[in-house]
Amino acid sequence: MLINYQHGFADLNGAQIYYETAGAGHPLVLLHAGICDLRMWDEQFVEFSQTYRVLRFDMRGFGRTPPVAGAFAFHTDLHALLHELRIAKTYLLGCSFGGSTCLDFTLAYPDMVEALILVGSSPSGYRATAPHSPLLEAVNTAMDAGDYDCAAELEVQIWVDGPSRTPDQVSASIRQRVHAMNRIALQNEALELGDPQPLDPSATERLHDVQAPTLLITGNLDQPRIVEAVAWMAARLPHAYQAVIPGTAHLPNLEEPARFNRIVLDFLAQSEQD
């Protein structure tokens, strides 16, 4: 059961950003992956709101937040939303692209972040040495043809199944959930609206500046490029901790929600004691 549930659109930086909040206590913000939208956090939104004031939202071009023309930065959108909701300090939890955005935000506004959790994420500006998935070229071909269903299915194979599993080895309901969310993102991407501005200097050049305790979560079946990036960050972040969730790929919160939730809640509880 959700308490203090609110939802709506915030007119920020020229965009109509859809958000939801629930719970009470210290703020905890959830940022979705680039193949998803805020619905990827359904299980976390309910459980975490029993302890925290949880905020989740659709970034530009995802879910119910449409893309718009013009220059913008994802981390400044987050800053504007927090200002709108009068949140001065928060915990940040982001998956994949959402995690990269959380890291950029932490570097741009360090006094606002008290703990950071990055799930299957790479820092902005990072250049991996591991190869891309061999399916990536097929994704690009499907996008060029306007076949968003095919492109979404291929990206589900890349990220949800991972490099070592076949589709029949993964929950069909999870695959369907991600496919539906990702199809919206791919259709919006094809509109080519908006001009995202990178953090300068990039996070890759500034990891030593991150003073917030940082938990790095990965699935052991994720893409090698992600596993490489997480190990690279773990060796350079001043206050890094790691957790690996076996039997999961890029979205461990969907595959093992109970285990994922316990890892996050234990980390935040420990951070509050330190």
Side-chain angles (χ1 to χ4, degrees), residues 13 60 67-74 76-77 191-198:
N13 299 335
R60 295 187 192 220
V68 294
F72 74 98
F74 287 104
T76 57
D77 278 351
L191 297 175
E192 297 184 349
L193 289 174
D195 181 19
Q197 303 296 300

Side-chain angles (χ1 to χ4, degrees), residues 174-193:
I174 291 175
R175 299 183 89 259
Q176 291 163 5
R177 283 176 65 182
V178 177
H179 185 284
M181 290 186 284
N182 193 32
R183 195 184 193 286
I184 296 171
L186 292 174
Q187 284 182 281
N188 286 334
E189 179 183 328
L191 297 175
E192 297 184 349
L193 289 174

Side-chain angles (χ1 to χ4, degrees), residues 3 23-27 46-54 265 272:
I3 59 171
H26 196 288
V46 172
E47 180 162 349
F48 294 167
S49 67
Q50 308 305 307
T51 307
Y52 300 102
R53 178 191 177 190
V54 182
L265 291 172
E272 291 163 0

